[in-house]
Short mmCIF file of all heavy atoms in Angstrom, two decimals:
data_model
loop_
_atom_site.label_atom_id
_atom_site.label_comp_id
_atom_site.label_asym_id
_atom_site.label_seq_id
_atom_site.Cartn_x
_atom_site.Cartn_y
_atom_site.Cartn_z
N THR G 277 13.51 46.21 19.32
CA THR G 277 14.05 44.97 18.76
C THR G 277 13.06 43.83 18.94
O THR G 277 12.80 43.05 18.04
CB THR G 277 15.38 44.61 19.45
OG1 THR G 277 16.30 45.68 19.28
CG2 THR G 277 15.97 43.34 18.87
N PHE G 278 12.48 43.76 20.15
CA PHE G 278 11.52 42.71 20.44
C PHE G 278 10.28 42.85 19.55
O PHE G 278 9.79 41.89 18.98
CB PHE G 278 11.11 42.77 21.91
CG PHE G 278 10.10 41.72 22.29
CD1 PHE G 278 10.49 40.44 22.59
CD2 PHE G 278 8.74 42.03 22.32
CE1 PHE G 278 9.57 39.48 22.94
CE2 PHE G 278 7.80 41.08 22.66
CZ PHE G 278 8.22 39.79 22.97
N ALA G 279 9.83 44.12 19.46
CA ALA G 279 8.66 44.36 18.62
C ALA G 279 8.95 44.01 17.18
O ALA G 279 8.12 43.42 16.47
CB ALA G 279 8.21 45.81 18.73
N GLY G 280 10.17 44.40 16.74
CA GLY G 280 10.54 44.07 15.36
C GLY G 280 10.61 42.59 15.15
O GLY G 280 10.17 42.06 14.13
N GLY G 281 11.14 41.87 16.16
CA GLY G 281 11.22 40.42 16.05
C GLY G 281 9.84 39.81 16.02
O GLY G 281 9.57 38.89 15.26
N ALA G 282 8.95 40.33 16.86
CA ALA G 282 7.60 39.80 16.90
C ALA G 282 6.89 40.07 15.58
O ALA G 282 6.18 39.22 15.06
CB ALA G 282 6.81 40.44 18.05
N PHE G 283 7.14 41.27 15.05
CA PHE G 283 6.52 41.61 13.77
C PHE G 283 7.05 40.70 12.66
O PHE G 283 6.30 40.20 11.83
CB PHE G 283 6.82 43.07 13.42
CG PHE G 283 6.28 43.48 12.08
CD1 PHE G 283 4.94 43.82 11.93
CD2 PHE G 283 7.10 43.50 10.97
CE1 PHE G 283 4.44 44.19 10.70
CE2 PHE G 283 6.61 43.86 9.73
CZ PHE G 283 5.28 44.22 9.61
N ALA G 284 8.37 40.49 12.70
CA ALA G 284 8.97 39.62 11.70
C ALA G 284 8.44 38.21 11.83
O ALA G 284 8.13 37.54 10.85
CB ALA G 284 10.49 39.63 11.83
N SER G 285 8.32 37.75 13.09
CA SER G 285 7.80 36.40 13.31
C SER G 285 6.37 36.30 12.82
O SER G 285 5.96 35.31 12.21
CB SER G 285 7.87 36.04 14.80
OG SER G 285 9.21 36.06 15.24
N GLY G 286 5.60 37.35 13.10
CA GLY G 286 4.22 37.36 12.64
C GLY G 286 4.14 37.34 11.12
O GLY G 286 3.31 36.64 10.54
N ALA G 287 5.05 38.11 10.50
CA ALA G 287 5.06 38.14 9.05
C ALA G 287 5.43 36.79 8.49
O ALA G 287 4.84 36.32 7.52
CB ALA G 287 6.04 39.22 8.56
N LEU G 288 6.43 36.14 9.13
CA LEU G 288 6.84 34.81 8.68
C LEU G 288 5.72 33.81 8.86
O LEU G 288 5.49 32.96 8.01
CB LEU G 288 8.09 34.37 9.44
CG LEU G 288 9.38 35.11 9.09
CD1 LEU G 288 10.50 34.67 10.02
CD2 LEU G 288 9.76 34.86 7.63
N ALA G 289 5.03 33.93 10.00
CA ALA G 289 3.92 33.01 10.24
C ALA G 289 2.83 33.21 9.21
O ALA G 289 2.24 32.26 8.71
CB ALA G 289 3.35 33.23 11.65
N LYS G 290 2.59 34.47 8.87
CA LYS G 290 1.58 34.78 7.86
C LYS G 290 1.98 34.21 6.52
O LYS G 290 1.18 33.62 5.79
CB LYS G 290 1.38 36.29 7.77
CG LYS G 290 0.27 36.69 6.80
CD LYS G 290 0.07 38.19 6.81
CE LYS G 290 -1.05 38.60 5.86
NZ LYS G 290 -1.22 40.06 5.85
N ASP G 291 3.29 34.37 6.19
CA ASP G 291 3.78 33.84 4.93
C ASP G 291 3.68 32.32 4.91
O ASP G 291 3.38 31.71 3.89
CB ASP G 291 5.23 34.27 4.69
CG ASP G 291 5.33 35.76 4.40
OD1 ASP G 291 4.30 36.35 4.04
OD2 ASP G 291 6.43 36.32 4.54
N ALA G 292 3.95 31.69 6.06
CA ALA G 292 3.94 30.24 6.14
C ALA G 292 2.55 29.70 5.89
O ALA G 292 2.40 28.57 5.45
CB ALA G 292 4.47 29.79 7.50
N LYS G 293 1.52 30.48 6.19
CA LYS G 293 0.15 30.04 6.02
C LYS G 293 -0.33 30.22 4.58
O LYS G 293 -1.40 29.73 4.23
CB LYS G 293 -0.76 30.80 6.97
CG LYS G 293 -0.52 30.50 8.44
CD LYS G 293 -1.44 31.31 9.35
CE LYS G 293 -1.17 31.01 10.82
NZ LYS G 293 -2.03 31.83 11.70
N GLN G 294 0.44 30.92 3.78
CA GLN G 294 0.05 31.11 2.40
C GLN G 294 0.12 29.76 1.67
O GLN G 294 1.05 29.00 1.86
CB GLN G 294 0.98 32.10 1.71
CG GLN G 294 0.84 33.53 2.20
CD GLN G 294 -0.54 34.10 1.92
OE1 GLN G 294 -1.09 33.90 0.85
NE2 GLN G 294 -1.09 34.81 2.88
N PRO G 295 -0.87 29.44 0.84
CA PRO G 295 -0.84 28.16 0.12
C PRO G 295 0.32 28.12 -0.87
O PRO G 295 0.71 29.15 -1.42
CB PRO G 295 -2.19 28.15 -0.60
CG PRO G 295 -2.57 29.58 -0.73
CD PRO G 295 -2.05 30.24 0.52
N PRO G 296 0.88 26.94 -1.10
CA PRO G 296 2.00 26.82 -2.03
C PRO G 296 1.67 27.32 -3.43
O PRO G 296 2.51 27.89 -4.11
CB PRO G 296 2.29 25.31 -2.03
CG PRO G 296 1.74 24.81 -0.74
CD PRO G 296 0.54 25.66 -0.47
N LYS G 297 0.42 27.08 -3.87
CA LYS G 297 0.00 27.54 -5.19
C LYS G 297 -1.26 28.39 -5.03
O LYS G 297 -2.39 27.88 -5.08
CB LYS G 297 -0.25 26.35 -6.11
CG LYS G 297 0.96 25.45 -6.27
CD LYS G 297 0.76 24.36 -7.32
CE LYS G 297 0.93 24.91 -8.72
NZ LYS G 297 0.95 23.83 -9.75
N PRO G 298 -1.11 29.70 -4.82
CA PRO G 298 -2.26 30.58 -4.61
C PRO G 298 -3.29 30.52 -5.73
O PRO G 298 -4.48 30.72 -5.50
CB PRO G 298 -1.63 31.97 -4.52
CG PRO G 298 -0.22 31.72 -4.08
CD PRO G 298 0.16 30.43 -4.73
N GLN G 299 -2.83 30.23 -6.95
CA GLN G 299 -3.76 30.15 -8.08
C GLN G 299 -4.71 28.97 -7.97
O GLN G 299 -5.71 28.89 -8.71
CB GLN G 299 -2.98 30.07 -9.40
CG GLN G 299 -2.18 28.79 -9.60
CD GLN G 299 -0.77 28.86 -9.04
OE1 GLN G 299 -0.51 29.59 -8.10
NE2 GLN G 299 0.14 28.13 -9.65
N ASN G 300 -4.44 28.06 -7.04
CA ASN G 300 -5.31 26.90 -6.85
C ASN G 300 -6.44 27.15 -5.85
O ASN G 300 -7.26 26.27 -5.62
CB ASN G 300 -4.50 25.68 -6.38
CG ASN G 300 -3.70 25.06 -7.51
OD1 ASN G 300 -3.74 25.52 -8.65
ND2 ASN G 300 -2.97 24.01 -7.20
N VAL G 301 -6.46 28.33 -5.25
CA VAL G 301 -7.54 28.67 -4.32
C VAL G 301 -8.74 29.15 -5.15
O VAL G 301 -8.80 30.31 -5.56
CB VAL G 301 -7.09 29.74 -3.32
CG1 VAL G 301 -8.22 30.07 -2.34
CG2 VAL G 301 -5.85 29.27 -2.55
N LEU G 302 -9.67 28.23 -5.38
CA LEU G 302 -10.79 28.50 -6.28
C LEU G 302 -12.10 28.04 -5.68
O LEU G 302 -12.12 27.22 -4.76
CB LEU G 302 -10.58 27.76 -7.62
CG LEU G 302 -9.32 28.11 -8.43
CD1 LEU G 302 -9.14 27.11 -9.56
CD2 LEU G 302 -9.43 29.52 -9.00
N SER G 303 -13.19 28.55 -6.22
CA SER G 303 -14.51 28.05 -5.85
C SER G 303 -14.73 26.71 -6.55
O SER G 303 -14.03 26.38 -7.52
CB SER G 303 -15.58 29.05 -6.28
OG SER G 303 -15.67 29.08 -7.70
N PRO G 304 -15.71 25.93 -6.12
CA PRO G 304 -15.99 24.67 -6.81
C PRO G 304 -16.28 24.84 -8.30
O PRO G 304 -15.77 24.08 -9.13
CB PRO G 304 -17.22 24.14 -6.05
CG PRO G 304 -17.06 24.68 -4.67
CD PRO G 304 -16.50 26.06 -4.87
N ASP G 305 -17.07 25.85 -8.65
CA ASP G 305 -17.39 26.07 -10.06
C ASP G 305 -16.17 26.48 -10.87
O ASP G 305 -15.97 26.03 -12.01
CB ASP G 305 -18.49 27.13 -10.20
CG ASP G 305 -19.85 26.63 -9.75
OD1 ASP G 305 -20.08 25.40 -9.80
OD2 ASP G 305 -20.69 27.45 -9.33
N ALA G 306 -15.35 27.34 -10.28
CA ALA G 306 -14.14 27.78 -10.97
C ALA G 306 -13.16 26.62 -11.14
O ALA G 306 -12.45 26.53 -12.15
CB ALA G 306 -13.48 28.92 -10.20
N SER G 307 -13.13 25.74 -10.17
CA SER G 307 -12.26 24.56 -10.25
C SER G 307 -12.69 23.65 -11.39
O SER G 307 -11.85 23.15 -12.15
CB SER G 307 -12.30 23.79 -8.93
OG SER G 307 -11.77 24.57 -7.88
N LEU G 308 -13.99 23.44 -11.52
CA LEU G 308 -14.50 22.60 -12.61
C LEU G 308 -14.20 23.24 -13.96
O LEU G 308 -13.81 22.55 -14.92
CB LEU G 308 -16.00 22.39 -12.44
CG LEU G 308 -16.68 21.51 -13.50
CD1 LEU G 308 -16.05 20.13 -13.55
CD2 LEU G 308 -18.17 21.42 -13.23
N LYS G 309 -14.38 24.52 -14.05
CA LYS G 309 -14.09 25.25 -15.30
C LYS G 309 -12.63 25.09 -15.68
O LYS G 309 -12.29 24.81 -16.84
CB LYS G 309 -14.45 26.72 -15.13
CG LYS G 309 -14.24 27.58 -16.38
CD LYS G 309 -14.74 29.00 -16.13
CE LYS G 309 -14.61 29.88 -17.37
NZ LYS G 309 -13.20 30.17 -17.69
N ARG G 310 -11.74 25.25 -14.71
CA ARG G 310 -10.31 25.12 -14.99
C ARG G 310 -9.97 23.69 -15.40
O ARG G 310 -9.15 23.47 -16.30
CB ARG G 310 -9.51 25.52 -13.74
CG ARG G 310 -8.01 25.37 -13.91
CD ARG G 310 -7.27 25.89 -12.71
NE ARG G 310 -5.87 25.50 -12.73
CZ ARG G 310 -5.00 25.74 -11.74
NH1 ARG G 310 -5.41 26.37 -10.65
NH2 ARG G 310 -3.76 25.35 -11.83
N LEU G 311 -10.61 22.73 -14.76
CA LEU G 311 -10.36 21.33 -15.08
C LEU G 311 -10.74 21.04 -16.54
O LEU G 311 -9.97 20.42 -17.29
CB LEU G 311 -11.17 20.44 -14.14
CG LEU G 311 -10.69 19.01 -13.89
CD1 LEU G 311 -9.32 19.00 -13.24
CD2 LEU G 311 -11.69 18.27 -13.03
N MET G 312 -11.90 21.51 -16.94
CA MET G 312 -12.37 21.23 -18.29
C MET G 312 -11.60 22.04 -19.35
O MET G 312 -11.43 21.58 -20.49
CB MET G 312 -13.86 21.52 -18.39
CG MET G 312 -14.71 20.63 -17.46
SD MET G 312 -14.28 18.86 -17.58
CE MET G 312 -14.75 18.53 -19.28
N GLU G 313 -11.14 23.22 -18.98
CA GLU G 313 -10.28 23.97 -19.91
C GLU G 313 -8.98 23.22 -20.16
O GLU G 313 -8.47 23.18 -21.28
CB GLU G 313 -9.99 25.35 -19.34
CG GLU G 313 -11.18 26.31 -19.38
CD GLU G 313 -10.91 27.63 -18.72
OE1 GLU G 313 -9.90 27.73 -17.97
OE2 GLU G 313 -11.70 28.59 -18.91
N GLY G 314 -8.45 22.60 -19.10
CA GLY G 314 -7.25 21.80 -19.26
C GLY G 314 -7.48 20.59 -20.16
O GLY G 314 -6.63 20.25 -20.99
N ASN G 315 -8.64 19.96 -20.03
CA ASN G 315 -8.97 18.84 -20.91
C ASN G 315 -9.09 19.30 -22.35
O ASN G 315 -8.68 18.58 -23.28
CB ASN G 315 -10.26 18.17 -20.45
CG ASN G 315 -10.64 16.98 -21.31
OD1 ASN G 315 -11.69 16.97 -21.96
ND2 ASN G 315 -9.81 15.96 -21.34
N GLY G 316 -9.62 20.49 -22.54
CA GLY G 316 -9.73 21.04 -23.89
C GLY G 316 -8.36 21.22 -24.54
O GLY G 316 -8.16 20.90 -25.72
N ARG G 317 -7.38 21.70 -23.77
CA ARG G 317 -6.03 21.86 -24.30
C ARG G 317 -5.42 20.49 -24.62
O ARG G 317 -4.74 20.32 -25.65
CB ARG G 317 -5.15 22.60 -23.29
CG ARG G 317 -5.52 24.05 -23.07
CD ARG G 317 -4.44 24.81 -22.30
NE ARG G 317 -4.17 24.22 -21.00
CZ ARG G 317 -4.84 24.53 -19.88
NH1 ARG G 317 -5.84 25.41 -19.93
NH2 ARG G 317 -4.52 23.97 -18.73
N TYR G 318 -5.66 19.53 -23.74
CA TYR G 318 -5.13 18.17 -23.95
C TYR G 318 -5.68 17.56 -25.22
O TYR G 318 -4.94 16.98 -26.04
CB TYR G 318 -5.49 17.32 -22.74
CG TYR G 318 -5.26 15.84 -22.89
CD1 TYR G 318 -3.97 15.30 -22.88
CD2 TYR G 318 -6.34 14.98 -23.04
CE1 TYR G 318 -3.77 13.93 -23.00
CE2 TYR G 318 -6.16 13.62 -23.17
CZ TYR G 318 -4.87 13.09 -23.16
OH TYR G 318 -4.68 11.74 -23.28
#
């Protein structure tokens, strides 16, 4: 039970560290590309 709780807590902690928008985790160049693609649509 303790191990399961620790595992669950670890899993929750891991989930809590996940960024709210994973698709926003980009390199600088990829970020600029996405920014300019958005301007193109606009």
Side-chain angles (χ1 to χ4, degrees):
T277 302
F278 179 83
F283 177 81
S285 298
L288 290 174
K290 184 177 181 181
D291 290 342
K293 293 179 181 178
Q294 292 296 318
K297 302 187 79 171
Q299 67 271 28
N300 285 0
V301 181
L302 300 169
S303 68
D305 288 334
S307 296
L308 180 58
K309 182 175 183 290
R310 178 175 168 185
L311 204 63
M312 298 311 296
E313 287 175 346
N315 181 242
R317 292 192 301 272
Y318 169 74

